[in-house]
Amino acid sequence: MARNTAYTDGPIGSVMLKTALSMLPGTLAISGYNIVDTYFVSKLGTMPMAAMGFTFPVVMLVSCLFRGIDNGIMTPTAQLLGGGRVPKAARLISSGIILLTIISLSVGVIGSLTIDPVFRNLLKADEVVMKDIRAYMVIWYMGSFTASLSMAANALLVTSGESRLAGIFMLGGLLLNVILDPIFIFGFGFIPAMGVAGAALATVVAQAVGVIATASILHFKLRLIAPFNMPFAIISGHWQTILRYGIPATCAMLLIPLGSMAVTRAVAEVGGEVAVAATAAATRIEVVAFVFPMSLGMALLPMIGQNYGAKAWDRINQCRRFALRFAGAVLLIMAVIFTTFAPQISTLFSKDPKVLEIMVRYLRIVSWGLAGVEIHRFGGFFLNGCARPLGAALLNGSRVVVFLVPLTFVAVAMNWLDGIFYARLVSDICAGIAGWICARLVTRNLQ
């Protein structure tokens, strides 16, 4: 029952589109968390928005660490389910939950103790925004284990073929966040106004509720959570499998927020706090473009993994052709929309003329590279799903190390804010080309 045979038996195009549509509420929810938080925090003024801008790359950094471990759990699970080995998949998942809990609690403690050095020294945040940064990050760090388990549980639902349920739970978490955000941020009844700290608390509570719901389905319906009292030899063996995929994925994913931190610092140095607030808001708007391609991507890795476990090589090639063409077409359309309606979209998030001007320039430049971002990401999925985790890590890291950071430094040297945006554009296009080539090479040579 835990295995979705449509991944390995159904028509590729219809299965992928059906799964993408069922995951659409979930991807809207992922985008929605950031957009809703940004919307309500923007009502507090430009400085709280700037504080959120500084927190974004750090939150992204920690989230990528969790996603890397999630990848290490999800990929071998998909391969086991594709080969019909459900009990072994359940033991691997339980071992992964233990590992992820240990890692996330450790990150929460360490992160809480290093807020000032990270934001003051690395990101160059001044004391005006540090108060809001501290208020937000302490709560977010200490509740980050809910984020890690929520991401893992939803990914495992998709891997087992329950994409519709995963989407419903993720959308439910967003709706709860929408309700809690204004209550915690502005206060309601006996609940005091918490400002930006309220945005963090709303997210943590919503994710905690989501964890309980998804874990219940995995355990009671799918029987994919084995008892945790396994011998340590079995747990450690599964940890080795998880880390074989998870460490390369984590290293590559961590480069993404590190690159974002470098860009945030560059924007602060060239354009100041107003530019940070503008790019932070624009970055959250940008995420909307990925909603439907991300819906497809959520099912892509487990679909590749299950077909790899079933040795269905031709289906993997069909997945590649469909997914890359679909992502490219959708995101080029979104680039046209962003370029045309950037002023109208930006006014939803700020009334400050200086912030609006920078947001419009960012959206009109960066949006033309969004197709490259998703094709590059999909390329990593094909390498990972086909048991090439190191190759996937090298591909994923190339965008930041080879292109984004060096080109951003050039723009900073020129003291050119728009140059930072053009550096992102060129990086995304080059990374997309590399992802397309790698995906084609690995899938064509499977047999």
Side-chain angles (χ1 to χ4, degrees):
M1 183 163 69
R3 181 188 172 194
N4 184 345
T5 55
Y7 282 169
T8 52
D9 299 330
I12 291 293
S14 61
V15 169
M16 295 187 77
L17 284 177
K18 182 179 178 181
T19 306
L21 286 170
S22 66
M23 282 306 302
L24 190 57
T27 49
L28 284 170
I30 293 173
S31 308
Y33 274 102
N34 285 326
I35 292 173
V36 169
D37 286 351
T38 301
Y39 174 78
F40 285 114
V41 170
S42 70
K43 305 301 180 183
L44 300 173
T46 300
M47 286 302 106
M49 270 189 71
M52 291 289 287
F54 278 107
T55 66
F56 183 69
V58 178
V59 170
M60 192 176 169
L61 180 75
V62 178
S63 298
C64 284
L65 169 62
F66 296 153
R67 286 194 185 98
I69 304 301
D70 290 350
N71 189 292
I73 301 170
M74 183 171 65
T75 304
T77 295
Q79 293 169 352
L80 290 170
L81 293 178
R85 292 171 286 176
V86 177
K88 186 173 182 179
R91 291 192 295 272
L92 185 141
I93 288 171
S94 294
S95 302
I97 291 172
I98 295 171
L99 179 63
L100 193 57
T101 302
I102 294 170
I103 291 173
S104 59
L105 290 175
S106 300
V107 166
V109 173
I110 294 170
S112 299
L113 298 175
T114 57
I115 292 174
D116 274 39
V118 168
F119 288 96
R120 281 181 177 279
N121 301 335
L122 292 180
L123 295 180
K124 301 298 183 183
D126 60 29
E127 192 54 42
V128 177
V129 295
M130 277 303 300
K131 180 181 177 182
D132 284 333
I133 289 173
R134 291 189 200 99
Y136 184 91
M137 289 307 300
V138 166
I139 293 175
W140 191 90
Y141 270 133
M142 297 314 296
S144 62
F145 71 95
T146 63
S148 68
L149 295 177
S150 175
M151 287 188 285
N154 282 307
L156 289 168
L157 280 181
V158 178
T159 301
S160 61
E162 295 288 347
S163 56
R164 186 181 301 276
L165 272 178
I168 290 171
F169 287 142
M170 294 162 75
L171 183 60
L174 171 63
L175 294 176
L176 181 58
N177 191 62
V178 170
I179 295 169
L180 295 178
D181 252 346
I183 294 174
F184 291 157
I185 292 173
F186 306 113
F188 182 80
F190 66 90
I191 299 174
M194 300 173 65
V196 294
L201 183 59
T203 298
V204 169
V205 172
Q207 288 170 341
V209 173
V211 169
I212 295 170
T214 50
S216 299
I217 297 296
L218 286 169
H219 178 63
F220 294 108
K221 179 182 179 181
L222 302 176
R223 304 298 180 187
L224 276 177
I225 298 180
F228 291 100
N229 58 347
M230 296 176 285
F232 184 71
I234 293 177
I235 294 174
S236 62
H238 289 315
W239 285 359
Q240 291 177 28
T241 301
I242 291 167
L243 294 175
R244 174 175 172 255
Y245 285 91
I247 289 176
T250 299
C251 291
M253 288 183 180
L254 287 176
L255 288 173
I256 299 172
L258 288 172
S260 179
M261 290 172 72
V263 171
T264 299
R265 176 169 177 164
V267 169
E269 186 174 337
V270 175
E273 308 292 351
V274 171
V276 172
T279 54
T283 300
R284 285 160 170 77
I285 295 170
E286 172 193 331
V287 174
V288 176
F290 293 101
V291 166
F292 206 61
M294 279 177 66
S295 300
L296 186 71
M298 283 186 171
L300 186 57
L301 182 54
M303 191 168 187
I304 297 165
Q306 284 208 22
N307 281 286
Y308 186 82
K311 302 185 187 301
W313 314 132
D314 185 59
R315 288 179 64 81
I316 294 175
N317 276 285
Q318 292 178 52
C319 286
R320 170 182 55 81
R321 289 190 289 269
F322 183 89
L324 298 188
R325 292 170 185 173
F326 180 87
V330 169
L331 286 163
L332 285 175
I333 293 171
M334 291 303 301
V336 173
I337 293 172
F338 278 168
T339 301
T340 305
F341 299 105
Q344 292 83 355
I345 295 171
S346 300
T347 54
L348 297 174
F349 294 88
S350 180
K351 303 301 180 186
D352 187 324
K354 293 180 180 178
V355 171
L356 289 173
E357 180 188 356
I358 296 172
M359 287 179 68
V360 169
R361 281 162 29 207
Y362 177 99
L363 290 172
R364 285 179 169 168
I365 294 170
V366 169
S367 60
W368 291 100
L370 299 182
V373 174
E374 199 67 357
I375 290 171
H376 174 258
R377 192 168 73 96
F378 282 8
F381 288 168
F382 280 97
L383 289 168
N384 241 325
C386 295
R388 273 79 168 178
L390 183 57
L394 293 173
L395 172 65
N396 291 334
S398 66
R399 174 177 169 269
V400 174
V401 175
V402 178
F403 303 115
L404 182 61
V405 172
L407 291 174
T408 299
F409 285 161
V410 172
V412 171
M414 298 170 65
N415 198 36
W416 183 24
L417 181 60
D418 283 7
I420 298 174
F421 305 154
Y422 282 112
R424 162 74 190 279
L425 171 64
V426 173
S427 301
D428 292 347
I429 292 173
C430 292
I433 294 170
W436 182 84
I437 292 172
C438 288
R440 191 170 187 271
L441 288 174
V442 72
T443 55
R444 284 172 63 90
N445 293 311
L446 279 174
Q447 60 269 41

